[in-house]
Amino acid sequence: MREPFWHQTAWFRALLVVALAMAAWLIYRAALYQVHRRQRLLEGLVAQRTRELSEALTKVERLSRIDGLTGVANRRYLEEQLARSWAEASRRKAPLSLLMIDLDHFKEFNDSAGHLAGDECLKQVARTLEECVERSTDLVARFGGEEFVVLLPDTDSDGAESVGERIRERIDDLKFAPPEGGQGDGITASVGCATARPGRSEQRTEQRLRPEQLLRRADEAMYAAKRAGRNRVAGTG
């Protein structure tokens, strides 16, 4: 009987089956690797897009809280922080002070020197206000036009008036004056100070104060400073 050819032997057939199985396994592993690789690339791309979106949203949120001209907080963010500071001061029965700052003679300066000079004045005043506060919890905000507000948590009336006087002096030192021949006096500041202890009843009214009333008190004090001659600090306690 003739011996079978080598490719007809059982051992060759078994070896062929094993080789085919290994080839199939290798093809499967390669395909699986490609799937995992694409999945990792997709996950990385999704993570990158998520980070970019988060950063964009953070930037938009930050910009929504900042005054576009001066770079300090805007009125919206001030009101948010005032509410938070009020709640914290109410919980701790701590003092909360607020300064309302109005630039004296700004309209005359703006008309005489021009709007670009007026904008530069507001920018320098904003930087000066930020230099006058020392704590991270303090907040400088542009309230509107030539009015600014400084929020001072954990600050009593004496401390607030001290900060207000420092602000008044620093703004006076800026020496913003109309150009030669222009109308009006140089820029100064009238500062109104108001202090409250949220959570405590007022003896006069036996009513709880609200955050907007602190703003109103500071505004009234600022107008009192103007009536008294401008370039001064007035407080309501």
Side-chain angles (χ1 to χ4, degrees):
M1 184 176 179
R2 184 176 61 85
E3 291 289 329
F5 292 106
W6 62 270
H7 57 273
Q8 295 176 324
T9 60
W11 63 264
F12 175 77
R13 292 172 181 168
L15 184 62
L16 183 60
V17 170
V18 171
L20 291 173
M22 289 186 63
W25 182 81
L26 290 173
I27 292 172
Y28 167 76
R29 293 293 299 175
L32 189 62
Y33 171 80
Q34 290 297 326
V35 169
H36 287 166
R37 181 171 177 274
R38 291 193 189 97
Q39 184 177 0
R40 287 194 299 271
L41 289 174
L42 181 59
E43 289 173 350
L45 183 60
V46 170
Q48 180 182 350
R49 293 292 183 266
T50 301
R51 285 194 302 271
E52 291 173 353
L53 179 60
S54 177
E55 291 170 359
L57 290 174
T58 299
K59 184 177 180 179
V60 169
E61 184 180 4
R62 185 174 66 251
L63 289 174
S64 72
R65 297 176 172 180
I66 293 175
D67 177 67
L69 175 64
T70 62
V72 298
N74 59 20
R75 183 168 179 170
R76 171 191 168 188
Y77 189 53
L78 166 68
E79 291 171 349
E80 292 175 359
Q81 287 299 105
L82 176 57
R84 293 190 186 99
S85 297
W86 188 274
E88 177 64 14
S90 180
R91 184 183 67 82
R92 297 174 48 234
K93 301 294 189 296
L96 177 65
S97 292
L98 191 144
L99 307 180
M100 180 72 73
I101 301 135
D102 185 82
L103 301 182
D104 305 319
H105 315 294
F106 179 79
K107 184 179 184 304
E108 295 90 337
F109 174 85
N110 202 42
D111 291 342
S112 296
H115 294 298
L116 290 178
D119 288 349
E120 183 58 31
C121 171
L122 292 174
K123 292 176 185 178
Q124 288 199 36
V125 167
R127 288 194 293 268
T128 299
L129 294 178
E130 290 192 309
E131 291 169 0
C132 288
V133 298
E134 300 173 348
R135 303 171 305 177
S136 61
T137 53
D138 299 336
L139 178 71
V140 175
R142 186 182 180 194
F143 197 66
E146 65 270 25
E147 286 187 331
F148 293 84
V149 167
V150 178
L151 181 63
L152 300 168
D154 286 309
T155 305
D156 60 18
S157 57
D158 290 340
E161 291 189 23
S162 177
V163 175
E165 181 60 29
R166 181 161 68 244
I167 286 171
R168 186 201 65 77
E169 291 176 353
R170 289 290 303 278
I171 291 176
D172 197 29
D173 289 343
L174 292 177
K175 303 300 182 187
F176 276 107
E180 187 174 352
Q183 300 297 314
D185 300 317
I187 298 278
T188 57
S190 294
V191 183
C193 307
T195 300
R197 286 182 178 269
R200 292 188 177 184
S201 297
E202 292 289 285
Q203 293 181 356
R204 291 173 298 174
T205 63
E206 294 301 321
Q207 295 178 348
R208 300 274 186 196
L209 281 173
R210 296 187 299 275
E212 59 268 22
Q213 290 174 294
L214 184 63
L215 270 170
R216 190 177 306 118
R217 284 184 171 188
D219 192 57
E220 292 169 354
M222 182 269 291
Y223 278 107
K226 283 189 174 294
R227 289 192 298 271
R230 297 187 175 92
N231 193 22
R232 63 193 63 216
V233 178
T236 62

